[in-house]
Amino acid sequence: MKPVPGGAFAMGSENFYLEEAPVRRVEVEGFWIDARPVTVGQFRRFVKQTGYVTVAERPLDPALFPDADPTMLVPGSLVFRPARGPVDLSDFRNWWSYVPGARWDRPEGPQSDTYTRGRHPVTQVAYEDAEAYAAWVGKALPTEAEWEYAARGGLDSKVFAWGDELAPDGRMLANSWQGEFPWQNLVLDGYAGTSPVGVFPPNGYGLYDMTGDVWEWTRDSFTASHSQKPCCAPPSDERIPRRIIKGGSHLCAPNYCLRFRPAARQGEAVDTSTTHIGFRCILSSA
Ligand SMILES: [Ca+2]
């Protein structure tokens, strides 16, 4: 973990998406934060020692999904599949599929595995799973303000976690999507999917992968707003409460969703898990 000194900062942005505005001055107490997102290997240890069963592995309640195809009411999770060519960007079903059997150690479904991805961020974790892991290690999930303050790494009002330029000297500093989402992944940063934690340079607080790679759960509730356009995170059923996720992911592309930035935010249904949402924990110094 790394210490983040308390202080005030300009939270939000008025230059990108409406849900990030307005910019306001926010004060944060000092805290400690995981230098990297929680990895598959760390989550595996948690599951082995506790027998924990993630939300994606549990049976679904048909009452909660009255309109669903009954054959799809089996444990599973959302998996990203690239489109074969340009598609209607207003319909997330063009790249998200519900895959029975997809779970944290088989993120793309029963035929997939994570044997070579122990140091990748864990994915396919719902909010409750992230909270359970945090409690097990005696930590907590960050608030949105704590997360954003940490992600800025001491740089006030900058677009990215490293400054204002997307790729200084042509160098990609986070795992995002280069090319036309959701079909043309040019992989200029070296990774089509998730990347092992810590391969991109840390920010000013010594924190890796705060932006890009995977979105991260925070403990703040998201208030539904019409200003939010559906993006790379699937829109949710409004009957299910949402929490704020931060940081963007390997699926964020400037042509569609420029959200691998500290100010970016989305609301995600608490029971949703996908191949591009993970988390990290904090420890209050008080
Ligand atoms: Ca990438």
Side-chain angles (χ1 to χ4, degrees), residues 62-97:
L64 283 174
F65 305 93
D67 305 324
D69 173 356
T71 61
M72 295 306 274
L73 286 178
V74 291
S77 204
L78 287 169
V79 175
F80 172 78
R81 287 174 174 158
R84 292 208 177 90
V87 292
D88 176 5
L89 289 175
S90 67
D91 188 352
F92 71 92
R93 290 171 301 183
N94 284 323
W95 56 90
W96 286 113
S97 304

Side-chain angles (χ1 to χ4, degrees), residues 172 174-178 185-195 200 213 249-252:
M172 304 305 300
N175 182 1
S176 63
W177 177 296
Q178 303 84 49
N185 193 345
L186 299 175
V187 196
L188 301 179
D189 57 16
Y191 299 94
T194 56
S195 44
F200 291 90
D213 210 2
S249 81
H250 60 276
L251 298 182
C252 287

Side-chain angles (χ1 to χ4, degrees), residues 144 147-148 210 214-216 218 244-248 262-265:
E144 182 185 14
W147 190 99
E148 183 169 329
M210 288 300 291
V214 290
W215 287 93
E216 298 180 15
T218 74
I244 294 165
I245 54 173
K246 296 284 281 182
R265 59 205 298 271

Side-chain angles (χ1 to χ4, degrees), residues 132-217:
Y133 177 93
W136 180 68
V137 290
K139 301 180 189 175
L141 296 178
T143 63
E144 182 185 14
E146 287 165 340
W147 190 99
E148 183 169 329
Y149 181 68
R152 292 182 178 280
L155 296 176
D156 211 19
S157 304
K158 297 291 183 188
V159 175
F160 299 102
W162 51 84
D164 281 332
E165 238 186 296
L166 170 69
D169 301 319
R171 201 164 156 231
M172 304 305 300
L173 297 179
N175 182 1
S176 63
W177 177 296
Q178 303 84 49
E180 295 286 312
F181 184 86
W183 60 279
Q184 178 197 49
N185 193 345
L186 299 175
V187 196
L188 301 179
D189 57 16
Y191 299 94
T194 56
S195 44
V197 298
V199 297
F200 291 90
N203 74 0
Y205 291 144
L207 308 176
Y208 296 88
D209 304 298
M210 288 300 291
T211 56
D213 210 2
V214 290
W215 287 93
E216 298 180 15
W217 287 109

